[in-house]
Amino acid sequence: MEKETVLSATRDLWETVPGNTLSTGKGIRPEYAGTRMYDPPLVGFGAADDPLFDAYKKAGVIGPWHMSPGEWLPGAKTVVSFFFPLSEAVRESNRKEVKTASDLWAYARIEGQEFITSTMNAVGSWFREKGYSACVPSSDPRWQSVFAGKGIEGYEEIGETTYGSRWSERHAAYVCGLGTFGLSKGLITKKGVAGRFGSVVVSALFEPDPRPYSGIYDYCIRCGACAARCPAKAIDLVTGKDHVKCASCVSASRLVHAPRYGCGLCQTGVPCEAGIPDPAFR
Ligand code: SF4
Ligand code: SF4
């Protein structure tokens, strides 16, 4: 199968899977009905046996609870990673905020994630219809998250400051050539950091995309704008990101947005919001 076939199918599914455009109901403010949350995704292809997936299992990288593509799907050949950039409407609304997420951002975090999950499941089904095996880690019953060190039993290495899951979409995207990490720990793609990721592990073989970078932070210019935007002071140019402070701030956003939540102030109003920042602004 040609990559172009996958890209075309992905574009079709992005257009036809329901849920990317807000409608009224579920407490969504009527003025946002008709707003599109996510732009067409970037797509990257990585080898299922890329040595980086083994490296992610090491303590201090992610940890041994992180599952490799072959564990998700026996016979896996390729990881297909997707970055869904947030639309200008969502980003613009969050740019104006200084304490917590905008309503639109919270909708994109919750209803938008439902759309992305549906799209990933549709991509998985599409591969199966073509005769391949496919696994969507985020929809798989084995997917588990780690919150403040809790959520996955049996791993002594999980400290109480650990947040994550058995499959890191951002780390998969890094393997697939989509971008590098920033100080805020988001992944900076050529469409920026403001967006969400998904992935599908498949038995179809594709040539891995090149990674046009060598270091995990190559695209971050260390401007510190994300640190200045963070209401929880969870980002520091010297010490990096404090996930405990961040998680606490995101949880507190429920006071404003329940049943939703969100923040993402470090992803908007910053040089890496919608593209790779120019090193001239370093
Ligand atoms: S705002 Fe600046 S320091 Fe923060 S992740 Fe983006 S480029 Fe890096
Ligand atoms: S680091 Fe967390 S709390 Fe700080 S701006 Fe980013 S999402 Fe919000």
Side-chain angles (χ1 to χ4, degrees):
M1 184 189 296
E2 299 294 323
K3 285 182 184 176
E4 197 51 49
T5 308
V6 179
L7 300 180
S8 172
T10 298
R11 176 77 189 213
D12 289 348
L13 291 169
W14 170 80
E15 284 177 346
T16 55
V17 169
N20 194 21
T21 300
L22 285 167
S23 53
T24 51
K26 296 198 282 187
I28 290 169
R29 289 169 53 183
E31 64 265 39
Y32 294 129
T35 302
R36 194 182 71 195
M37 292 180 280
Y38 289 94
D39 289 342
L42 301 176
V43 185
F45 296 78
D49 61 356
D50 192 298
L52 277 176
F53 287 114
D54 287 333
Y56 291 164
K57 285 177 170 288
K58 291 179 183 160
V61 184
I62 297 179
W65 59 87
H66 190 264
M67 289 169 60
S68 65
E71 289 173 297
W72 287 109
L73 181 75
K77 295 280 194 311
T78 305
V79 176
V80 191
S81 176
F82 302 81
F83 175 67
F84 292 80
L86 283 153
S87 67
E88 167 62 18
V90 176
R91 289 185 282 108
E92 193 261 343
S93 72
N94 218 46
R95 240 177 262 146
K96 298 173 185 163
E97 302 292 342
V98 294
K99 289 185 179 166
T100 190
S102 66
D103 289 336
L104 261 183
W105 188 277
Y107 301 154
R109 175 69 185 81
I110 305 303
E111 278 75 13
Q113 180 58 48
E114 290 171 6
F115 161 71
I116 290 171
T117 300
S118 297
T119 305
M120 290 299 92
N121 289 335
V123 172
S125 298
W126 181 85
F127 272 105
R128 288 183 206 105
E129 285 162 12
K130 299 279 180 250
Y132 298 100
S133 305
C135 174
V136 179
S138 62
S139 296
D140 190 284
R142 294 168 294 168
W143 192 92
Q144 290 175 305
S145 62
V146 185
F147 188 86
K150 296 189 173 62
I152 300 177
E153 299 294 327
Y155 288 96
E156 300 300 320
E157 302 89 339
I158 303 181
E160 61 183 16
T161 58
T162 300
Y163 295 81
S165 66
R166 283 196 181 273
W167 179 249
S168 168
E169 300 289 4
R170 290 168 303 133
H171 285 77
Y174 179 89
V175 168
C176 297
L178 286 182
T180 82
F181 291 86
L183 179 67
S184 64
K185 291 295 185 278
L187 198 85
I188 304 172
T189 73
K190 66 182 182 184
K191 291 282 185 182
V193 73
R196 296 192 67 76
F197 292 88
S199 59
V200 183
V201 182
V202 297
S203 62
L205 181 63
F206 297 97
E207 181 80 13
D209 284 339
R211 288 196 282 271
Y213 38 78
S214 55
I216 58 173
Y217 294 109
D218 278 7
Y219 293 166
C220 177
I221 59 172
R222 294 188 63 77
C223 62
C226 52
R229 287 272 291 150
C230 178
K233 301 200 183 324
I235 305 172
D236 185 281
L237 272 166
V238 177
T239 56
K241 179 163 177 186
D242 184 326
H243 293 281
V244 177
K245 285 182 180 175
C246 173
S248 171
C249 185
V250 173
S251 291
S253 72
R254 294 176 196 272
L255 294 172
V256 177
H257 293 297
R260 302 174 183 87
Y261 54 87
C263 177
L265 297 193
C266 56
Q267 297 182 9
T268 48
V270 295
C272 57
E273 175 186 307
I276 298 169
D278 187 338
F281 295 108
R282 199 181 289 261

